């Protein structure tokens, strides 16, 4: 989609009212099919209008330098022979849809952008101009269009009525759990306390008393008196439980950071390649803070309209956009979700709305607007805002594990990375506690086709003492039968340690049935993808002898027994790739699965590793860096690779080890010797001689603890 601006005037100017009337009644824009410029040459505007403008493009109609309206192009160019010289005088035309008429609220956007670019009026270089690059006029047209389309969001909603109803049922059930007992009160008290603390920062930003010490500091510093110690920590950590994680990726992305020495500052723009910090004095850092960061924060906090905050945040040069987004959220808790992740916001936006919005915060606003409408969130209930953000975060994460386009998924990675936890939490959420809709099974070397699909197995003893054998369904076949009988629901079959079995043998000829395009279409009664198994003939003979045994077949028709995998079955496998190589999957198996890698999540370590009373450890950031250093040492220095790193669940054991709110070197040594060293030693045996193992472990421990003092 391109943006343009043009005017509809002939030689004698039309009034603005006449131009608007043309747009409303004739629903066209245009110009003369030819005329000459001041040098006597043919003007190129008609050719550009006819050949370069496209259906779907957005055009601002202006009266020289004054905006009049926004329109969307709906047709190719055409010539009109019947024109009115005093009204729609132009014969080269395009059909349009009127998007918006210029009004006072839009003038505020124009004035802000003119000020940003130090201009007094929008440009008017000719009859027709294509917007290219960034300037006050082009940015204004884009922002005006975004604001206009947001007013008609519900007309562009992507969710079907059935999907809206399904989401609403899930939301109400999710919400009810938290409105039970004191959970609701606890959430409200915590959220209101955090908002009161944010107001202290917002007040200082507004009255210009906000200082660099309020912005970046050390938690234990005597001058760190504000909530959370200082704003960067307050936004990144203190508010994360209820207002979402907004980690900047690296503390240097705050643009200015007080170093560990408590005296010098790192300025991000002055970092050289490979540097982790530089040492600038406070006066230099303060000048940069006052000239850029504080002014940006003042613009955001002083802007009340949430839609006007969006461009302030997303077009700024501030690196950590997540932090700016959270500031906008704290000011407008009922207008935004407390979610900042690009991947989650992109998923939800694509699921909810047909929109051309490109920015994270703009998409966030549109999702929240639609959610408010379809879930009937019409008051200023801040608890609902928290729960809605949690709900939609879970919704996005669970839907992305397995969907109709990728019904077969493998989660793989090092042990302790939360693969099983993530799947169980997701399925509990998706299935809303209906345990019958998912099945967990663990594979092992002796797991067979007979266990999985069907086979002849011992079933007791006859009267004369002989072992009795019967044909029995395997666990997956039973599950497929259940899903087939409930085609309107989704069912999830989960296999832990999937790579420990002989997979080709376990799946046998049924492997083809897993593929998306070869699923059994139960809803439409299409039996084209059903197959016969190695036991189909036996089943057919048994049914012939006893018709009551027809339930032995997954599908029985005209004397034939078939097997298939219903389209409403989703297959999820999990594996620790250190237990057995992924190469256990042959190509035929591998190409039928989507592979999702799960690695150590250091954000989980930092967020969830708490002291025994629930408080955050004072040096949790330093501890998280030590965990990362140890894993990097294992993967790179020891040459074991990422598959041998420790998952976050190993490091979270610190909660049960530390005896006070500051994690010590002794705590790290205890964790290493008790929980990490035995596993790491087994990993090392495959690469090093026995005589080298102790030395390698000592070096790993030294790397893990080198930034902690003895205490």
């Amino acid at each position: 989609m391109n943006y343009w601006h043009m005017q509809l005037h002939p030689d004698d100017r039309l009034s603005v009212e006449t131009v608007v009337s043309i747009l409303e009644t004739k629903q066209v824009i245009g110009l003369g099919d030819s005329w000459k410029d001041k040098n006597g040459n043919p003007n190129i505007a008609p050719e550009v209008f006819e050949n370069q403008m496209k259906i779907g493009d957005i055009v601002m109609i202006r009266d020289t330098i004054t905006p009049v309206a926004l329109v969307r192009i709906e047709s190719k160019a055409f010539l009109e022979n019947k024109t009115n010289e005093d009204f729609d005088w132009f014969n080269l035309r395009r059909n349009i849809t009127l998007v918006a008429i210029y009004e006072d609220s839009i003038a505020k956007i124009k004035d802000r952008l003119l000020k940003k670019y130090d201009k007094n009026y929008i440009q008017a270089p000719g009859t027709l101009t294509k917007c290219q690059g960034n300037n006050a006029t082009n940015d204004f047209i884009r922002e005006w269009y975004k604001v206009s389309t947001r007013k008609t969001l519900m007309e562009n909603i992507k969710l079907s009525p059935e999907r809206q109803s399904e989401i609403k049922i899930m939301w109400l059930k999710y919400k009810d759990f938290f409105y039970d007992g004191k959970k609701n009160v606890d959430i409200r008290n915590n959220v209101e306390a955090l908002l009161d603390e944010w107001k202290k920062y917002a007040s200082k930003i507004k009255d210009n008393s906000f200082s660099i010490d309020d912005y970046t500091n050390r938690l234990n510093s005597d001058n760190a008196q504000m909530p959370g110690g200082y704003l960067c920590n307050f936004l990144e950590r203190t508010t994360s439980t209820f207002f979402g994680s907004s980690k900047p990726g690296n503390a240097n992305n705050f643009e200015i950071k007080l170093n560990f020495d408590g005296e010098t500052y790192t300025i991000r723009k002055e970092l050289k390649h490979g540097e982790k910090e530089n040492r600038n004095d406070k006066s230099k850092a303060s000048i940069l803070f006052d000239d850029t960061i504080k002014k940006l924060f003042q613009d955001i906090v002083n802007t009340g309209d949430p839609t006007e905050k969006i461009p302030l945040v997303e077009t700024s040069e501030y690196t950590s956009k997540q932090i700016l987004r959270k500031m906008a959220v704290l000011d407008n808790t009922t207008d935004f979700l407390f979610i900042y992740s690009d991947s989650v916001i992109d998923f939800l936006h694509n699921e909810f709305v047909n929109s051309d919005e490109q920015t994270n915060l703009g998409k966030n606003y549109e999702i929240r607007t639609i959610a408010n409408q379809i879930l009937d969130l019409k008051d200023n209930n801040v608890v609902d805002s928290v729960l809605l953000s949690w709900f939609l975060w879970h919704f996005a994460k669970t839907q992305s594990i397995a969907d109709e386009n990728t019904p077969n998924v493998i989660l793989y990675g090092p042990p302790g990375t939360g693969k099983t936890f993530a799947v169980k939490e997701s399925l509990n959420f998706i299935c809303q506690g209906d345990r019958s809709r998912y099945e967990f099974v663990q594979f092992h070397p002796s797991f067979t086709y007979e266990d999985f699909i069907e086979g002849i197995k011992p079933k007791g003893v006859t009267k004369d003492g002989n072992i009795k054998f019967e044909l029995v369904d395997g666990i997956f076949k039973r599950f497929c039968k259940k899903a087939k009988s409930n085609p309107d629901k989704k069912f999830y079959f989960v296999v832990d340690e999937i790579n420990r079995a002989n997979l080709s043998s376990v799946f046998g000829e049924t492997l083809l049935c897993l593929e998306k395009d070869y699923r059994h279409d139960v809803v439409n009664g299409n039996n084209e993808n059903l197959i016969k198994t190695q036991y189909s003939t036996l089943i057919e003979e048994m049914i012939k002898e006893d018709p009551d045994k027809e339930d032995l077949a997954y599908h029985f028709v005209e004397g034939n027994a078939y097997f298939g995998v219903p389209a409403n079955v989703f297959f999820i496998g999990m594996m620790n790739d250190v237990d057995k190589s992924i190469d256990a999957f042959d190509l035929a198996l591998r190409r039928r699965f989507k592979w999702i890698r799960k690695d150590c999540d250091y954000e989980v370590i930092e967020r969830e590793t708490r002291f025994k009373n629930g408080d955050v450890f004072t040096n949790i950031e330093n501890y998280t860096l030590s965990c990362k250093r140890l894993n990097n040492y294992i993967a790179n220095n020891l040459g074991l690779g990422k598959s041998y790193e420790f998952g976050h669940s190993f490091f979270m054991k610190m909660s049960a080890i530390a005896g006070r709110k500051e994690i010590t070197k002794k705590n790290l040594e205890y964790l290493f010797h008790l929980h990490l060293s035995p596993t790491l030693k087994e990993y090392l045996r495959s690469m090093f001689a026995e005589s080298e193992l102790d030395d390698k472990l000592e070096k790993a421990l030294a790397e893990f603890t080198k930034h902690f003092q003895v205490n």
Side-chain angles (χ1 to χ4, degrees):
M1 181 175 67
N2 299 306
Y3 294 87
W4 306 76
H5 54 98
M6 68 177 293
Q7 56 186 31
L8 297 182
H9 298 309
D11 293 337
D12 297 325
R13 289 177 61 189
L14 301 173
S15 68
V16 169
E17 291 76 17
T18 301
V19 171
V20 171
S21 181
I22 293 170
L23 300 177
E24 290 179 333
T25 61
K26 295 293 186 177
Q27 296 183 328
V28 294
I29 61 170
L31 34 70
D33 63 348
S34 65
W35 74 90
K36 292 183 179 180
D37 62 22
K38 61 183 179 181
N39 297 318
N41 298 316
N43 193 292
I44 65 170
E47 180 183 351
V48 172
F49 181 85
E50 183 174 4
N51 298 320
Q52 294 186 26
M53 191 175 282
K54 305 295 182 184
I55 295 174
D57 284 0
I58 300 301
V59 185
M60 179 182 75
I61 305 303
R62 53 181 168 77
D63 175 22
T64 62
I65 64 172
T66 303
V68 174
L70 273 185
V71 302
R72 181 186 297 106
I73 301 299
E74 301 292 359
S75 76
K76 293 182 178 180
F78 63 94
L79 288 172
E80 173 61 57
N81 295 323
K82 296 180 180 180
T83 62
N84 181 341
E85 291 185 5
D86 297 324
F87 191 59
D88 57 331
W89 59 274
F90 43 88
N91 61 342
L92 181 61
R93 303 183 171 193
R94 284 178 180 268
N95 294 324
I96 57 93
T97 295
L98 181 60
V99 175
I101 302 293
Y102 186 66
E103 55 188 20
D104 290 343
S105 62
I106 303 301
K108 295 179 181 179
I109 299 175
K110 183 194 71 173
D111 294 343
R112 171 172 54 79
L113 289 168
L114 289 174
K115 181 180 178 182
K116 174 182 176 181
Y117 285 96
D118 195 24
K119 300 292 182 182
N120 295 320
Y121 51 83
I122 65 171
Q123 65 188 53
T127 301
L128 177 65
T129 304
K130 184 178 182 179
C131 299
Q132 299 183 36
N134 295 100
N135 57 45
T137 303
N138 297 350
D139 287 4
F140 166 64
I141 295 172
R142 296 185 189 107
E143 286 302 318
W144 185 9
Y145 176 67
K146 288 180 181 179
V147 170
S148 300
T149 55
R150 286 175 191 138
K151 294 179 180 179
T152 58
L153 267 179
M154 296 310 296
E155 298 173 13
N156 298 310
I157 191 168
K158 203 171 184 179
L159 298 165
S160 67
E162 294 76 18
R163 186 62 167 155
Q164 292 182 44
S165 177
E166 180 183 351
I167 291 173
K168 187 169 184 177
I169 291 170
M170 292 175 68
W171 156 247
L172 291 174
K173 192 163 186 179
Y174 181 85
K175 174 183 170 182
D176 284 347
F177 173 80
F178 290 96
Y179 273 82
D180 178 28
K182 63 187 287 285
K183 296 187 187 76
N184 174 279
V185 176
D186 288 344
I187 293 173
R188 181 176 298 281
N189 290 343
N190 279 286
V191 169
E192 289 179 349
L194 289 171
L195 289 175
D196 286 341
E197 291 178 341
W198 161 244
K199 288 176 183 177
K200 295 178 182 178
Y201 279 109
S203 177
K204 296 196 76 169
I205 292 170
K206 287 179 179 179
D207 68 19
N208 207 32
S209 63
F210 184 56
S211 69
I212 192 171
D213 291 329
D214 298 328
Y215 177 66
T216 178
N217 218 314
R218 311 309 307 175
L219 281 177
N220 297 323
S221 172
D222 291 337
N223 61 353
Q225 300 297 318
M226 292 294 286
Y230 53 100
L231 182 62
C232 291
N233 188 67
F234 177 77
L235 293 174
E236 181 184 356
R237 297 188 182 87
T238 307
T239 54
S240 63
T241 300
F242 296 99
F243 288 99
S245 174
S246 58
K247 285 182 67 65
N250 184 303
N252 290 329
N253 288 334
F254 287 115
E255 304 293 344
I256 300 170
K257 179 197 73 171
L258 180 63
N259 293 328
F260 279 106
D261 60 19
E263 297 179 0
T264 62
Y265 292 79
T266 291
I267 297 176
R268 191 189 67 83
K269 290 182 178 179
E270 295 186 4
L271 282 171
K272 297 178 182 178
H273 181 69
E275 280 187 339
K276 294 183 178 179
E277 69 175 28
N278 50 45
R279 296 180 178 274
N280 294 279
D281 61 31
K282 187 172 184 177
S283 60
K284 183 176 182 179
S286 294
I287 291 172
L288 178 60
F289 170 76
D290 290 337
D291 290 347
T292 59
I293 296 173
K294 186 157 72 170
K295 287 183 178 179
L296 173 62
F297 287 6
Q298 286 173 336
D299 286 342
I300 293 172
V301 170
N302 288 324
T303 300
D305 188 334
T307 62
E308 292 185 30
K309 288 184 190 285
I310 294 168
L312 287 174
V313 169
E314 299 295 353
T315 63
S316 75
E317 295 181 358
Y318 188 83
T319 306
S320 181
K321 293 290 195 298
Q322 300 95 316
I323 292 299
L324 301 184
R325 292 166 189 158
K326 181 172 277 189
M327 292 175 67
V329 161
L330 291 170
D331 271 347
N332 303 85
T333 57
T334 59
D335 297 299
F336 296 107
L337 299 172
F338 310 158
I339 300 174
Y340 318 97
S341 161
D342 284 336
S343 61
V344 174
I345 289 294
D346 287 347
F347 176 87
L348 292 171
H349 192 258
N350 185 61
E351 177 92 357
F352 276 55
V353 62
N354 285 311
S355 165
D356 298 318
E357 178 61 51
Q358 297 297 313
T359 67
N360 176 293
L361 196 59
K363 291 178 181 179
N364 184 321
Y365 177 83
E366 292 184 353
I367 299 163
R368 180 64 197 263
T369 301
I370 290 173
N372 284 350
Q373 184 73 23
I374 66 174
L375 302 180
D376 299 325
L377 302 176
K378 296 177 181 177
D379 57 13
N380 293 324
N381 189 328
V382 73
V383 176
D384 276 0
S385 291
V386 172
L387 297 180
L388 176 66
S389 299
W390 291 352
F391 170 77
L392 290 178
W393 174 274
H394 283 298
F395 178 83
K397 287 295 186 181
T398 54
Q399 299 297 317
S400 64
I401 288 181
D403 55 44
E404 283 79 1
N405 293 320
T406 52
N408 307 313
V409 175
I410 297 291
L411 276 67
Y412 72 102
T417 50
K419 296 180 288 296
T420 303
F421 175 82
V423 171
K424 286 185 176 180
E425 187 180 56
S426 296
L427 294 185
N428 280 329
F429 177 80
I430 294 174
C431 301
Q432 295 293 288
D434 184 356
R435 184 65 179 80
S436 68
R437 290 173 54 198
Y438 59 92
E439 184 78 55
F440 273 82
V441 63
Q442 188 170 38
F443 277 5
H444 48 78
S446 59
F447 200 89
T448 65
Y449 177 91
E450 287 72 22
D451 298 315
F452 192 60
I453 303 297
E454 60 196 3
I456 298 173
K457 288 191 170 185
K459 291 289 286 186
V461 180
T462 64
K463 292 180 179 180
D464 55 7
N466 295 320
I467 298 176
K468 181 170 63 176
F469 290 89
E470 288 184 8
L471 180 67
V472 296
D473 289 340
I475 189 170
F476 186 58
K477 182 180 176 183
R478 290 197 302 272
F479 190 77
C480 289
K481 284 181 176 180
K482 180 164 58 175
K484 179 191 172 193
S485 64
N486 295 276
D488 58 329
K489 295 182 179 180
K490 296 177 180 179
F491 289 78
Y492 301 84
F493 191 83
V494 185
V495 180
D496 200 4
E497 301 194 34
I498 188 171
N499 56 329
R500 296 192 64 213
N502 185 335
L503 298 178
S504 297
S505 174
V506 168
F507 283 99
E509 72 282 303
T510 66
L511 177 60
L512 178 68
C513 301
L514 272 182
E515 200 159 332
K516 176 196 168 196
D517 294 335
Y518 292 94
R519 294 297 188 94
H520 182 202
D521 186 358
V522 180
V523 174
N524 295 311
N526 186 345
N527 299 325
E528 177 182 329
N529 293 328
L530 296 174
I531 66 167
K532 289 207 170 191
T533 69
Q534 56 186 291
Y535 289 98
S536 287
T537 302
L538 176 58
I539 293 172
E540 291 161 5
E541 291 296 325
M542 294 174 69
I543 295 173
K544 189 182 297 184
E545 293 178 5
D546 183 359
D548 290 340
K549 292 186 176 181
E550 188 176 316
D551 62 349
L552 285 172
Y554 165 84
H555 189 79
F556 188 73
V557 60
E558 297 179 353
N560 292 292
Y562 296 99
F563 177 73
V565 178
N568 59 329
V569 166
F570 298 87
F571 192 101
I572 302 171
M574 297 176 289
M575 57 183 285
N576 296 325
D577 47 356
V578 297
D579 295 339
K580 189 176 180 182
S581 171
I582 294 178
D583 292 339
F585 283 79
D586 61 31
L587 290 176
L589 275 164
R590 193 178 306 186
R591 67 182 175 83
R592 289 178 166 90
F593 289 86
K594 176 173 75 172
W595 293 76
I596 301 176
R597 183 174 180 85
K598 298 280 287 183
D599 286 310
C600 181
D601 191 331
Y602 300 100
E603 186 173 329
V604 170
I605 296 173
E606 187 166 326
R607 186 178 66 246
E608 303 295 339
T609 307
R610 300 294 182 106
F611 186 52
K612 294 167 186 176
N613 65 357
D615 289 343
V616 178
F617 286 108
T618 57
N619 57 345
I620 187 63
E621 182 180 5
N622 200 17
Y623 174 65
T624 303
L625 290 174
S626 291
C627 300
K628 189 178 294 186
R629 279 192 292 268
L630 176 61
N631 272 341
N632 287 339
Y633 184 79
I634 291 170
N636 301 317
N637 297 71
L638 292 177
L640 293 175
K642 290 189 69 64
S643 294
Y644 290 83
E645 293 181 353
F646 287 104
H648 41 269
S649 67
F650 284 91
F651 297 117
M652 290 168 66
K653 296 179 187 296
M654 182 57 69
S655 295
I657 293 172
R660 56 187 184 180
K661 286 180 64 176
E662 182 180 15
I663 299 172
T664 67
K665 184 176 182 180
K666 286 184 178 179
N667 295 151
L668 268 69
E669 290 172 344
Y670 185 87
L671 174 68
F672 185 85
H673 289 305
L674 195 65
H675 297 287
L676 307 181
S677 176
T679 301
L680 181 56
K681 190 171 185 177
E682 291 305 311
Y683 292 164
L684 294 171
R685 288 186 195 279
S686 63
M687 294 188 63
F688 300 99
E690 192 73 24
S691 59
E692 298 180 78
L693 299 185
D694 288 342
D695 178 62
K696 299 296 182 185
L697 291 173
E698 285 299 319
K699 289 180 178 177
L701 175 59
E703 185 69 22
F704 187 38
T705 61
K706 72 179 182 180
H707 288 288
F708 276 77
Q709 300 297 320
V710 178
N711 44 16

